[in-house]
């Protein structure tokens, strides 16, 4: 229920969230909407009865929050609290490391009115919650830009062509910084040619401060200035925001080399130029690598079309997806992406749901079927009634959760943050000491023999200054800091594209560490729907006649078993007849007259009461395992042995007959998913020690299903709280357990588990919200994929962390001995490692789900 003011300017609007606990019914909500809507300047009123929250969007230049609160009170409801803070998300594509994020955070901390700020460098996103009474969006943009970063103002109203052009304009290798880098590199190369190959042309061009400057030196200087312009600019912003980061350190290194050359005559122009060019190349490589990592998330965003063809007032018109309203009818032609979540009201077609559920085969859709935004209409015409606005669609929720997944820092990230916080100051201090102390202590050259090698330590300032520069380069922990988040984002986005929604890096890491897996039975290992598995005719009857009589009797019943029998008769084309004097025999079955004779359909106990001896042991069951029907049973006699065998398989047995004879047996069961056993087997192969099935069903049915699924243990007749207790016990025994259920009925067990996984969550808000991980489709094959992905992600993260630390340490040890210079430090220690950890993380996208045919 909402109201909208036509022609209002949403760009300038604000939203206040009012806590109104007394609003507990649609009637209350309607009164509040009517009262608040009378205010001039109110854009929309959206009450949520279930939460007692009223969202009011309004124009602050026309109405104040206090006036809105007064209108709610005028409707007879108290407002306990109000939250009129506003949250903005900014796209800052050049923020691609923790150093960048630190500068932006420092700049934002100087803005009054900010309640909370968050920087996500892996996705280039800045999220700020602020009080509009003290600051504005413009102030926040200005603060971010004051740190040296541009805010991308792209919005949904940009045409697709504009987005393509903008993407091209942002090409890393053709960007303004890249062009400056190439020019600077060319000048350095020209200087090297003059100095070493064409030395005769290296003439003095300038005399300054009593020194002569040759052509090569001026080329080095020009290369340093041109390539280093962005570095020096960023270094200025770092100093301004009091951020000790790589930009500031490199700026000090370049300026120090130039100063030492001009003032002290140390001739370090080449080192200054190399530092500027190589570090700029390293930054470009890092930006390129990060852009590759972000591309997987952009692919998710690109799944949603920007426009939709909607039928309004009998006419078709094209509108932006953001303008679709619940109840609109959208036209989806062959090859089109479905623009919004909705229900098919006309037409039929196969829909490719892989972008949402990861299903490999298109799903047939017809009247009444649910479809999701971002899925693809393969062949037929569909008319879809919109059931959720763009920002509330399943795809939108997936994108939002994937974007926010990096907020929850994993244990690895916390370790890296602690390490990096101490690493940079220590190495910077060592760099300063390396540049300053040895020249004071070493007089002339000192030789040192190590492992048969003679290392010469010289005492001149220039040599140790260069070595200090090399350590300064190695003081930046960029590769280490991005090693974990880039792996997490790569893994989570890859999983999302395969129909697995992981709601945080901690959950991605945790899955691969558990040694026990607990499955719910109904709807997880089984389909959760009863089906007819066996039809056993007797006394000369045929399979069709038994189904015909059973379906005729059960047609008036609403019991799930009755529905399964009627559905089976429809599928096999068995004709049914009208019955009279129908009577439901509670807990036993049904009775009705058919063609002038009274028939019964029900449990074996019902026929024993009628005086028919079955000589069988009866076991109550509400569903078991489904097996292929054996045609040899068609001539079997109805006896205790047949009934007992069916019940031993966990099936519900329904007898059909009269007071004098039984005409047949119908067995019904909840069918075990065909991929269940292979899924359990793959989990064992991947390292899971124990697979347990938990169910509230009876022991016989549970054992039958457990045997068919290949689980190690079966716990039956459990209440919801007992399932949770069992999961907790498994967690304590194995040091971690993953629970797979439907996300609603199994909520206590899902919460108790190390990781809770909801099956078939597409389109189900509760399932997506309640579990740590949601399988958007009903494919059990995604579980081994999830476990393998998590294990691989943990391995990649460990590789990235220790490789980053190990390479930096090895290079740092070599610096004082002259084995590592500035070029090696930049190319291997900075650029090489940043590119290496990112490329390593992208390997996670290669892991694909098993396809159980």
């Amino acid at each position: 229920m909402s109201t909208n003011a036509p022609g209002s300017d949403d760009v300038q609007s604000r939203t206040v969230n009012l806590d109104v606990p007394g609003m507990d019914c649609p009637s209350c909500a309607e009164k509040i909407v009517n009262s608040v809507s009378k205010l001039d300047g109110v854009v929309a009123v959206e009450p949520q009865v279930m939460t007692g929250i009223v969202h009011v969007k309004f124009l602050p230049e026309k109405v104040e929050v206090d006036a809105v609160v007064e209108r709610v009170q005028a409707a007879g409801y108290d407002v306990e609290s109000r939250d009129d803070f506003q949250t903005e998300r900014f796209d800052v594509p050049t923020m691609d490391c923790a150093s960048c994020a630190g500068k932006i955070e420092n700049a934002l901390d100087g803005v009054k009115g900010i309640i909370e700020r968050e920087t996500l460098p892996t996705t280039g996103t800045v999220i700020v919650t602020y009080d509009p009474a003290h600051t504005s969006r413009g102030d926040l943009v200005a603060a971010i830009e004051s740190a040296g970063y541009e805010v991308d103002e792209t919005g949904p109203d940009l045409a697709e062509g504009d987005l393509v052009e903008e993407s091209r304009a942002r090409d890393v290798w053709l960007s303004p910084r890249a062009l400056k880098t190439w020019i600077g590199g060319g000048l350095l190369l020209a200087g090297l040619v003059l100095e070493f190959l064409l030395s005769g042309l290296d003439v003095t061009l300038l005399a300054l401060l009593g020194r002569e400057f040759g052509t090569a030196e001026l080329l080095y200087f020009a290369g340093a200035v041109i390539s280093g312009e962005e570095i020096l600019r960023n270094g200025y912003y770092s100093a301004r925001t009091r951020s000790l980061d790589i930009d500031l350190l490199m700026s000090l290194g370049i300026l120090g080399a130039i100063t030492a050359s001009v003032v002290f005559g140390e001739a370090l122009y080449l080192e200054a130029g190399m530092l500027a060019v190589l570090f700029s190349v390293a930054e470009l490589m890092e930006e390129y690598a990060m852009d590759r990592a972000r591309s997987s998330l952009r692919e998710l965003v690109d799944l949603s079309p920007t426009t939709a063809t909607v039928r309004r007032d009998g006419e078709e018109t094209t509108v932006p997806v953001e303008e679709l309203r619940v109840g609109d009818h959208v036209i989806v032609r062959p090859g089109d992406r479905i623009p919004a979540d909705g229900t098919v009201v006309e037409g039929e077609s196969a829909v490719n749901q892989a972008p949402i559920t990861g299903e490999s085969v298109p799903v047939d859709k017809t009247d009444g079927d649910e479809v999701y935004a971002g899925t693809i209409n393969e062949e037929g015409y569909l008319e879809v009634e919109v059931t959720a606005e763009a920002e509330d669609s399943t795809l939108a929720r997936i994108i939002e959760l994937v974007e926010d997944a990096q907020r929850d820092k994993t244990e690895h990230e916390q370790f890296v943050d602690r390490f990096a916080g101490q690493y940079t100051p220590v190495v910077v201090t060592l760099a300063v000491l390396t540049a300053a102390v040895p020249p004071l202590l070493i007089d002339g050259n000192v030789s040192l023999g190590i492992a048969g090698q003679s290392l010469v330590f010289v005492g001149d300032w220039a040599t140790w200054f260069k070595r200090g520069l090399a350590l300064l380069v190695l003081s930046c922990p960029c590769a280490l800091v991005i090693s974990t988040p880039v792996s997490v984002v790569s893994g989570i986005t890859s999983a999302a594209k395969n129909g697995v929604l992981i709601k945080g890096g901690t959950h991605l890491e945790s899955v691969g560490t558990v040694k026990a897996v607990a499955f719910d039975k109904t709807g997880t290992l089984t389909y959760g729907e009863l089906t007819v598995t066996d039809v056993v005719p007797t006394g000369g009857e045929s399979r069709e006649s038994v189904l015909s009589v059973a379906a005729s009797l059960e047609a008036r019943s609403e019991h799930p078993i009755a529905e399964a029998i009627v559905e089976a008769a429809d599928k096999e084309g068995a004709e049914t007849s009208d019955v009279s004097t129908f009577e439901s025999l509670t807990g036993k079955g049904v009775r009705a007259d058919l063609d002038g004779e009274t028939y019964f359909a029900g449990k074996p106990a019902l026929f024993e009461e009628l005086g028919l001896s079955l000589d069988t042991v009866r076991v109550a069951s509400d569903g078991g395992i489904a097996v292929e029907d054996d045609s040899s049973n068609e001539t079997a006699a109805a006896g205790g042995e047949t009934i007992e065998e069916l019940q031993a398989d966990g099936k519900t047995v329904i007898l059909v007959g009269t007071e004098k004879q039984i005409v047949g047996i119908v067995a019904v069961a909840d069918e075990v998913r065909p991929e269940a056993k292979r899924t359990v087997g793959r989990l064992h192969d991947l390292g899971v020690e124990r697979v347990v099935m938990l169910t509230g069903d009876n022991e016989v049915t549970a054992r039958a299903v457990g045997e068919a699924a290949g689980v190690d243990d079966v716990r039956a007749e459990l209440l919801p709280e007992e399932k949770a207790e069992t999961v907790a016990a498994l967690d304590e025994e194995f040091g971690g357990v993953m629970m797979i259920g439907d996300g609603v009925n199994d909520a206590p067990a899902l919460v108790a588990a190390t990781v809770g996984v909801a099956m078939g969550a597409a389109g189900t808000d509760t399932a997506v919200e309640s579990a740590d991980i949601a399988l958007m489709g009903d494919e059990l094959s995604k579980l081994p994929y999830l476990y393998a992905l998590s294990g691989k992600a943990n391995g990649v993260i460990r590789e990235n962390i220790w490789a980053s630390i190990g390479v930096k340490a090895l290079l740092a040890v070599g610096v004082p001995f002259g084995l590592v210079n500035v070029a090696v430090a930049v190319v291997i220690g900075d650029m090489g490692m940043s590119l290496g950890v990112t490329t390593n993380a992208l390997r996670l996208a290669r892991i694909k789900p098993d396809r159980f045919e």
Side-chain angles (χ1 to χ4, degrees):
M1 182 187 303
S2 66
T3 180
N4 292 276
S8 60
D9 184 2
D10 273 2
V11 176
Q12 302 299 325
S13 65
R14 283 173 50 193
T15 299
V16 60
N17 305 316
L18 305 177
D19 184 7
V20 188
M23 180 188 66
D24 53 14
C25 66
S27 175
C28 305
E30 186 174 359
K31 283 192 287 184
I32 291 173
V33 169
N34 292 339
S35 179
V36 175
S37 298
K38 293 178 180 178
L39 288 173
D40 183 27
V42 169
V43 177
V45 184
E46 297 180 356
Q48 294 182 344
V49 175
M50 295 301 295
T51 59
I53 301 294
V54 180
H55 305 283
V56 182
K57 185 179 289 187
F58 63 97
L59 301 177
E61 66 271 18
K62 292 186 177 181
V63 65
E64 295 182 352
V65 176
D66 290 341
V68 175
V69 173
E70 289 174 2
R71 292 310 305 166
V72 174
Q73 294 171 337
Y77 299 91
D78 292 330
V79 177
E80 284 199 355
S81 63
R82 55 183 251 196
D83 175 12
D84 47 340
F85 301 142
Q86 197 158 322
T87 298
E88 294 279 1
R89 300 174 72 96
F90 301 97
D91 183 12
V92 188
T94 53
M95 180 191 69
D96 52 17
C97 66
S99 172
C100 306
K103 280 192 282 190
I104 291 176
E105 289 173 355
N106 290 341
L108 288 172
D109 288 343
V111 179
K112 183 181 178 181
I114 291 182
I115 309 302
E116 186 178 11
R117 51 103 176 113
E118 190 171 20
T119 51
L120 306 175
T122 315
T123 52
T125 306
V126 178
I127 304 171
V128 183
T129 301
Y130 64 98
D131 185 350
H134 294 92
T135 190
S136 65
R137 188 179 193 280
D139 294 335
L140 301 178
V141 171
I144 294 172
E145 292 181 341
S146 74
Y149 297 89
E150 291 186 6
V151 175
D152 191 341
E153 297 290 352
T154 55
D157 35 331
L158 276 180
E160 198 169 324
D162 296 330
L163 291 175
V164 173
E165 288 300 322
E166 185 181 25
S167 176
R168 289 176 182 166
R170 275 200 220 152
D171 191 326
V172 172
W173 307 115
L174 298 177
S175 65
R177 178 168 192 171
L179 295 177
K180 294 174 187 176
T181 302
W182 309 144
I183 294 172
L187 292 172
L188 251 64
L189 183 60
L192 289 169
V193 170
L194 282 178
E195 183 174 358
F196 296 103
L197 298 180
L198 302 174
S199 56
L201 299 178
D202 187 11
V203 298
T204 301
L205 295 181
L206 180 67
L208 183 68
L209 299 177
R211 293 199 67 246
E212 294 181 346
F213 297 89
T215 307
E217 287 182 321
L218 290 177
L219 288 173
Y220 296 150
F221 178 80
V225 170
I226 294 173
S227 294
E229 187 268 335
E230 289 278 349
I231 301 172
L232 296 173
R233 172 180 173 272
N234 291 336
Y236 161 74
Y237 285 117
S238 299
R240 181 172 161 179
T241 56
R242 299 182 300 281
S243 300
L244 180 63
D245 60 12
I246 189 62
D247 290 318
L248 179 58
L249 297 174
M250 291 303 99
S251 297
L252 293 175
I254 294 170
L255 292 174
I258 293 175
T259 302
S261 300
V262 174
V263 178
F264 302 106
E266 295 292 347
L268 297 176
Y269 299 107
L270 177 58
E271 282 69 21
M274 287 180 60
L275 188 59
V277 171
L278 290 176
F279 182 69
S280 292
V281 172
E283 291 287 278
L284 292 171
M285 291 293 289
E286 184 176 294
E287 185 178 343
Y288 170 72
M290 188 60 71
D291 191 63
R292 287 182 62 196
R294 291 173 181 172
S295 65
S296 56
L297 179 57
R298 285 198 297 268
E299 288 173 12
L300 281 178
V301 177
D302 291 343
L303 289 177
S304 183
T306 56
T307 60
T309 302
V310 61
R311 179 177 287 124
R312 291 176 179 169
D313 301 323
E315 295 183 0
E316 292 185 15
T317 182
T318 300
V319 300
V321 168
E322 291 75 17
E323 294 182 9
L324 287 177
R325 301 190 295 264
V326 173
D328 276 344
H329 283 205
V330 295
I331 310 302
V332 187
R333 295 184 170 84
D336 288 351
R337 285 192 182 273
I338 295 173
D341 285 3
T343 303
V344 176
V345 293
E346 184 180 334
E348 57 183 45
S349 179
V351 174
N352 180 357
Q353 297 192 153
I356 300 297
T357 65
E359 292 169 287
S360 57
V361 179
V363 180
D364 292 332
K365 299 289 185 179
T366 186
D367 288 2
D369 289 338
E370 191 175 18
V371 293
Y372 310 116
T375 56
I376 305 166
N377 181 21
E378 293 281 341
E379 52 193 27
Y381 168 91
L382 291 177
E383 186 169 326
V384 177
E385 181 177 337
V386 177
T387 57
E389 295 182 0
E391 63 269 22
D392 299 323
S393 70
T394 301
L395 178 59
R397 292 201 308 275
I398 291 174
I399 293 171
E400 183 179 359
L401 287 170
V402 170
E403 285 180 332
D404 294 344
Q406 61 178 307
R407 289 180 170 182
D408 186 15
K409 289 195 174 183
T410 68
E411 290 185 9
H412 285 115
E413 285 182 276
Q414 293 172 23
F415 162 75
V416 166
D417 286 348
R418 291 193 300 269
F419 182 87
Q422 299 175 22
Y423 171 83
T424 298
V426 169
V427 179
V428 169
T429 301
L430 289 176
V432 173
L433 294 175
T434 299
V437 175
L440 298 176
L441 301 179
I442 300 175
D443 185 14
N445 297 341
V446 177
S447 296
L448 180 65
I450 299 179
Q453 299 294 322
S454 179
L455 299 177
V456 178
F457 289 87
V458 296
D460 65 285
W461 288 96
T463 298
W464 289 102
F465 185 83
K466 295 174 189 177
R467 294 176 183 179
L469 281 182
L471 272 179
L472 207 60
V473 172
L474 295 174
S475 69
C476 173
C478 284
L480 176 62
V481 172
I482 68 171
S483 61
T484 298
V486 76
S487 303
V488 168
V489 170
S490 177
I492 288 176
T493 53
S494 176
K497 288 187 287 187
N498 284 291
V500 179
L501 181 57
I502 304 174
K503 295 168 61 177
T506 54
H507 308 312
L508 174 65
E509 287 189 358
S510 297
V511 170
T513 64
V514 302
K515 295 301 179 183
V517 174
F519 283 95
D520 173 48
K521 177 181 81 72
T522 306
T524 303
L525 288 175
T526 69
Y527 283 112
E529 297 179 358
L530 294 178
T531 57
V532 172
T533 60
D534 302 83
V535 178
V536 186
T538 62
E541 297 289 341
S542 66
R543 176 187 176 91
E544 183 179 354
S545 65
V546 173
L547 268 180
S548 176
V549 173
S552 298
L553 295 174
E554 299 284 11
R556 294 189 183 183
S557 174
E558 295 181 355
H559 194 281
I561 292 177
E563 294 176 356
I565 293 173
V566 172
E567 183 178 354
D570 289 341
K571 286 183 178 179
E572 298 193 20
E575 295 184 1
T576 58
S577 304
D578 291 334
V579 298
S580 58
T581 62
F582 174 85
E583 182 182 0
S584 175
L585 306 174
T586 305
K588 299 177 181 178
V590 297
R591 174 175 60 194
D593 290 343
L594 177 63
D595 296 332
E597 188 170 3
T598 301
Y599 279 84
F600 298 84
K603 296 180 178 179
L606 171 61
F607 287 85
E608 280 195 329
E609 290 181 5
L610 295 175
L612 296 174
S613 176
L614 304 177
D615 189 24
T616 183
V617 176
R618 294 170 300 281
V619 181
S621 174
D622 63 356
I625 76 169
V627 297
E628 294 292 331
D629 181 66
D630 187 354
S631 58
S632 64
N633 284 340
E634 292 187 3
T635 58
E641 185 176 344
T642 302
I643 296 172
E644 193 174 46
E645 289 174 353
L646 293 170
Q647 290 179 325
D649 285 337
K651 301 174 183 178
T652 297
V653 173
I654 301 297
L655 303 185
V656 182
T658 65
E659 293 179 346
K660 299 178 180 179
Q661 67 173 351
I662 296 172
V663 300
I665 302 173
V666 178
V668 179
D670 181 2
E671 187 176 2
V672 175
R673 297 177 188 271
E675 71 272 23
K677 192 162 190 173
R678 282 167 290 182
T679 296
V680 173
R682 282 288 294 134
L683 288 173
H684 280 311
D685 293 342
L686 291 168
V688 174
E689 297 176 7
R690 193 80 168 168
V691 178
V692 182
M693 187 188 79
L694 310 179
T695 180
D697 209 344
N698 67 78
E699 190 76 22
V700 172
T701 298
R703 292 292 172 192
V705 174
E707 183 178 348
V711 301
D712 302 313
D713 191 11
V714 173
R715 312 286 177 88
E717 301 179 7
L718 299 177
L719 296 173
E721 58 270 24
E722 292 173 327
K723 284 187 181 181
E725 291 171 1
T726 303
V727 167
L730 289 170
D731 184 25
E732 184 174 350
E733 180 180 355
F734 291 94
V737 60
M738 178 168 62
M739 171 70 192
I740 301 96
D742 62 11
V744 181
N745 298 331
D746 299 306
L750 290 171
V751 172
T754 308
V755 183
V757 181
M759 283 279 293
T764 308
D765 291 344
T766 306
V768 172
E769 292 169 4
S770 63
D772 302 318
I773 297 173
L775 305 185
M776 303 309 288
D778 280 328
E779 296 179 88
L780 282 175
S781 63
K782 298 298 174 60
L783 288 169
Y785 160 74
L786 172 61
Y787 196 85
L789 178 69
S790 175
K792 188 67 173 178
N794 287 333
V796 165
I797 289 170
R798 286 192 295 269
E799 291 167 5
N800 283 350
I801 290 175
W802 295 116
S804 299
I805 294 175
V807 170
K808 293 263 188 180
L810 190 62
L811 293 174
V813 169
V815 168
F817 301 102
L819 301 176
V820 176
N821 57 24
V822 171
V824 173
V826 172
V827 173
I828 298 178
D830 190 68
M831 175 175 63
M833 287 311 304
S834 293
L835 184 60
V837 298
T838 305
T839 302
N840 194 33
L842 293 177
R843 291 192 299 128
L844 296 175
R846 300 177 188 171
I847 302 175
K848 300 296 180 184
D850 296 326
R851 296 298 182 190
F852 296 153
E853 302 297 341

